[in-house]
Amino acid sequence: MATSPNNPPLAGRRILVSRPEPRAEETRQALEQAGACSRALPLIAIQPRTLDGRERSLIQELDNFRKIIAVSPNAARLLLEQADDWWPQWPVGLEWWGPGEGTARVFRDAGLPGQAPLSGHDSEALLNCPSFQPETVAGEKVLIARGDRGRELLHDTLTDRGARVEVLPLYERTPIDWPEATLREHLTTFDPDTVLALSGETLKRLLEVGQNADSKLRERCLVVPVERVAQQARDAGFRDVRVAPAMSPDGLIDACGASPSNAE
């Protein structure tokens, strides 16, 4: 969505961003430029892991893989940082994939041919790509760079399709314990009309901290990344849930500015 200083699309909106840094501040600034009053309250921190010997060997042997998948921009950035010591020149012939354009862009910014699904921005969209169908991926070695825990859909589905899959956990997600006064300031006093919760784990943490800090939490509009998380939010009692068309600033601005969802 193009923004105009004379007609900002989010003018008058109060939006709380609860994604990890540094993306929280980047998103907050983009929303402010679109006219919103926005605050960042990260609920999850991304902490790089210390790799063990087996995990380091996976990076040293990148050239043995055919496809490299990073499940998020954080995973892509940490993979490139870890690999930089071992690969002053990147191995040729590898396919570098992300579930969304933001992750693919991290690879492209490093001079690598980053790819993403033409539509969608999740594991399901990635698995629908021709490059990951059984007739294509069977027998190939695939490396999945991700956090220390998460969905096993990519690993299990690609294994079932005949790929030889290795998982490289590069970071840990840890909850941020904000003082009660900080939570009340951002939730109750700021009184956002919209909250961005861009992962299932962030949604879970938002529900935890909102129990005591925000009696109106479920009345607020909630922007989520995919339909799977949207259903989790509806099951938790949210009525106005919007799935962002993309994780880019424009995609999030579009979701925040969309008409309210139909509530029963």
Side-chain angles (χ1 to χ4, degrees):
M1 174 185 290
T3 62
S4 164
N6 298 319
N7 187 29
L10 300 181
R13 301 292 298 277
R14 299 182 310 281
I15 303 175
L16 184 68
V17 181
S18 59
R19 67 192 313 189
E21 294 290 13
R23 306 301 298 282
E25 180 59 22
E26 294 170 0
T27 303
R28 188 198 66 77
Q29 292 180 10
L31 296 174
E32 291 270 347
Q33 291 173 3
C37 178
S38 182
R39 293 191 182 184
L41 182 71
L43 299 176
I44 302 290
I46 302 296
Q47 303 289 347
R49 292 182 64 250
T50 299
L51 304 187
D52 61 26
R54 187 197 71 83
E55 293 160 350
R56 289 193 298 272
S57 71
L58 293 175
I59 294 176
Q60 296 167 20
E61 299 166 3
L62 278 183
D63 54 343
N64 289 334
F65 291 92
R66 174 60 178 165
K67 292 179 169 66
I68 310 294
I69 301 172
V71 302
S72 66
N74 282 319
R77 278 191 284 268
L78 289 171
L79 175 61
L80 295 178
E81 289 174 9
Q82 290 281 355
D84 186 60
D85 290 338
W86 299 99
W87 295 97
Q89 292 186 321
W90 297 109
V92 298
L94 275 64
E95 298 178 24
W96 302 81
W97 285 88
E101 181 60 26
T103 304
R105 190 180 305 115
V106 174
F107 286 140
R108 289 199 294 270
D109 288 347
L112 298 166
Q115 302 180 69
L118 295 178
S119 62
H121 48 267
D122 57 12
S123 296
E124 286 83 353
L126 194 65
L127 289 168
N128 284 333
C129 293
S131 292
F132 293 100
Q133 299 312 300
E135 62 273 16
T136 304
V137 80
E140 292 187 338
K141 288 196 69 176
V142 179
L143 179 67
I144 301 175
R146 67 178 207 186
D148 62 335
R149 60 187 185 277
R151 301 175 73 199
E152 298 294 339
L153 180 66
L154 279 176
H155 173 274
D156 292 351
T157 303
L158 293 175
T159 299
D160 289 345
R161 292 177 180 180
R164 294 175 289 160
V165 184
E166 295 280 0
V167 172
L168 178 60
L170 291 168
Y171 56 88
E172 301 172 342
R173 304 175 187 89
T174 58
I176 299 175
D177 293 321
W178 292 103
E180 193 73 17
T182 300
L183 295 175
R184 290 190 180 278
E185 168 65 23
H186 284 76
L187 289 165
T188 302
T189 305
F190 179 53
D191 193 24
D193 52 67
T194 303
V195 179
L196 271 61
L198 301 181
S199 72
E201 192 164 3
T202 298
L203 172 60
K204 178 182 177 181
R205 185 63 180 151
L206 178 65
L207 289 165
E208 290 172 351
V209 302
Q211 288 185 84
N212 298 319
D214 188 7
S215 61
K216 295 170 54 180
L217 180 61
R218 288 168 176 79
E219 301 173 20
R220 306 187 191 282
C221 169
L222 189 73
V223 174
V224 298
V226 292
E227 179 58 34
R228 172 178 55 84
V229 180
Q231 189 56 54
Q232 294 173 5
R234 296 185 196 104
D235 291 344
F238 287 91
R239 301 182 69 193
D240 185 2
V241 183
R242 308 175 185 182
V243 178
M247 292 296 96
S248 64
D250 282 351
L252 297 174
I253 290 168
D254 284 345
C256 292
S259 300
S261 304
N262 291 330
E264 297 179 357

